[in-house]
Amino acid sequence: MGIAGLLALLAPLALAQETRVSRESGGWGQEISGALAAVKNLRVKVDMGSVVVRGGQQQGIHYVVHTRFGNSSEQDARRQFEQYKVTAYVKGDTAWIVGDWQGGKRPRHCSSEFSIDVPREMALVKLETEGGSVDATGVTGHVDAESGGGSIHLDDVGGGANAETGGGSIDVGTIAGDMGLHTGGGSIEVRQANGKVVAETGGGSVEIQSGAQGAIIETGGGSIVVHHCNGKLKASTGGGSIELGDIGGPADIDTGGGGIRLMSAKGHVHAQTGGGTIELDGVPSAHAETGAGGIVVKLLNTGGERKDSDLETSAGDITVFIASDVALNVRASVDVGNGHRITSDFTELRITSDADKSGYTWGPRALNAEGKLNGGGPTLKVHTASGDITFKRVSR
């Protein structure tokens, strides 16, 4: 191959980079722009600044790096700009854009943003910044985003996605594949997840609008809201409230002290709180336990697997709504019956007290109820140390 042929082969990979310095309000700005050949993967790694990636119909990769220094002369600003080295190149099937601060301690009045336009059909986009925000949209492949503490926004991603930040919020639009979201303390919001979701935050709130498959959600103390999720759901918070809409499978719900509310689930529900109320509306079976609070459960034949149910509170009332086609063996008890009662719409349940058995009418007495509904089936145990228990009939 001749020299002309070799140059023609390398031309698509060559870097065309331009630099411009201009006066800006309160300081000086530098703009570096360039282009790289279209390849399968993109890696961006910067010491400082935010990163924005937009997928589109263009053939190559185009980037603009805007850096700004405030409160300085032009000469000082140019010296600072020279300390932040921006390199871009293609190696194999990966395009690299790197921002490397080489001037020791970074100046206080400094900001930087990497704006990158890429072909929509990228297979992998991996973005890393030590402190700024990350924003990526319009990519058919997988996206990895990492920030030392800034916010992360992802949307219109055709593959899976991972996002990790030391403390900023994570906002996700539509992701086609599985996603893992981790923040040291910020909030997490997901609008449409077509794969499985793992969302973890050290203390912020978590909200999922719609999940097509299962989800695992954990926060150190914030609230959790899930409007719709197919598959299995696991939600845990150190102390916030949990509100769930329609769950297409089983649910495991745990909070250190907040209330729990669930609209419906097709599988068995395990709900536990250190001290709030529990409301489960439309579940096949449930284990619900609270340290101090009321429990309301509606048992329906949702089409999911039905197991034994156990409802327990140390101090509070328990109300159970039971559909006409739900078969159960019921055992219920109130430890301190004085001032409390067990009532039932079902004549099949026999309600007794300790006084009925011993003849004594003074002192604390326990209340009990037992019986089979619709011929009997899985066991339903209901227990409160101090409170009322009510069984109500519900038609579907």
Side-chain angles (χ1 to χ4, degrees):
M1 179 183 298
I3 294 179
L6 180 60
L7 292 177
L9 180 63
L10 294 177
L13 303 180
L15 170 64
Q17 184 166 286
E18 298 180 358
T19 301
R20 181 172 62 89
V21 176
S22 61
R23 181 69 176 173
E24 296 184 356
S25 176
W28 292 87
Q30 174 182 263
E31 185 176 281
I32 298 175
S33 59
L36 295 171
V39 287
K40 290 177 57 179
N41 309 316
L42 171 67
R43 292 284 305 272
V44 179
K45 187 171 184 178
V46 302
D47 285 348
M48 63 179 186
S50 60
V51 179
V52 178
V53 173
R54 295 286 183 266
Q57 300 304 316
Q58 69 272 4
Q59 297 301 311
I61 297 172
H62 305 275
Y63 63 92
V64 176
V65 182
H66 183 265
T67 305
R68 183 180 182 277
F69 288 102
N71 302 325
S72 62
S73 65
E74 180 179 359
Q75 185 178 6
D76 289 339
R78 287 184 179 275
R79 281 199 298 263
Q80 297 283 16
F81 291 140
E82 290 174 358
Q83 303 303 315
Y84 195 37
K85 184 178 181 181
V86 176
T87 57
Y89 56 92
V90 172
K91 184 177 181 180
D93 58 1
T94 302
W96 284 82
I97 300 175
V98 180
D100 184 17
W101 176 256
Q102 299 179 335
K105 185 178 180 180
R106 299 169 193 166
R108 293 176 57 189
H109 304 287
C110 172
S111 64
S112 182
E113 180 178 277
F114 289 68
S115 299
I116 307 166
D117 294 325
V118 302
R120 183 174 178 84
E121 294 76 20
M122 299 289 290
L124 170 66
V125 173
K126 185 169 184 178
L127 314 172
E128 300 175 65
T129 174
E130 291 191 8
S133 62
V134 178
D135 187 340
T137 61
V139 177
T140 60
H142 186 93
V143 174
D144 280 344
E146 183 177 343
S147 172
S151 62
I152 296 177
H153 172 255
L154 305 176
D155 193 12
D156 188 17
V157 176
N162 292 311
E164 183 172 352
T165 171
S169 62
I170 299 176
D171 179 78
V172 176
T174 300
I175 305 292
D178 297 345
M179 69 178 80
L181 313 174
H182 308 269
T183 171
S187 62
I188 298 175
E189 182 174 354
V190 178
R191 282 176 287 283
Q192 177 66 51
N194 293 328
K196 295 180 180 179
V197 178
V198 175
E200 299 177 350
T201 170
S205 62
V206 180
E207 180 173 0
I208 296 179
Q209 296 287 339
S210 180
Q213 299 189 39
I216 299 174
I217 303 169
E218 183 175 350
T219 170
S223 62
I224 295 175
V225 177
V226 178
H227 298 274
H228 174 80
C229 181
N230 287 334
K232 183 178 181 180
L233 174 69
K234 182 175 183 181
S236 174
T237 171
S241 62
I242 299 178
E243 288 198 34
L244 308 177
D246 297 323
I247 308 302
D252 190 343
I253 313 162
D254 188 1
T255 172
I260 295 173
R261 184 177 181 183
L262 168 68
M263 290 299 295
S264 68
K266 286 189 167 56
H268 181 79
V269 175
H270 184 283
Q272 183 170 335
T273 173
T277 60
I278 298 176
E279 298 180 43
L280 309 177
D281 188 7
V283 298
S285 56
H287 176 102
E289 182 177 352
T290 174
I295 297 175
V296 179
V297 175
K298 182 184 290 185
L299 296 175
L300 305 176
N301 271 325
T302 63
E305 180 185 4
R306 295 182 58 236
K307 299 181 179 180
D308 292 343
S309 295
D310 192 347
L311 315 178
E312 183 168 356
T313 176
S314 297
D317 298 337
I318 300 177
T319 302
V320 188
F321 293 87
I322 302 173
S324 58
D325 59 348
V326 173
L328 295 168
N329 294 332
V330 177
R331 290 188 292 164
S333 62
V334 179
D335 290 346
V336 181
N338 291 10
H340 298 292
R341 59 181 183 166
I342 298 177
T343 58
S344 173
D345 290 347
F346 302 93
T347 57
E348 300 94 321
L349 297 186
R350 181 171 178 266
I351 302 171
T352 62
S353 70
D354 286 351
D356 297 331
K357 300 175 182 178
S358 64
Y360 292 109
T361 58
W362 54 270
R365 56 193 178 92
L367 302 176
N368 300 279
E370 290 190 12
K372 293 183 177 182
L373 302 183
N374 299 317
T379 298
L380 167 63
K381 293 173 61 178
V382 183
H383 172 253
T384 176
S386 177
D388 295 339
I389 295 177
T390 304
F391 295 97
K392 289 183 173 292
R393 192 186 304 272
V394 59
S395 59
R396 298 191 64 181

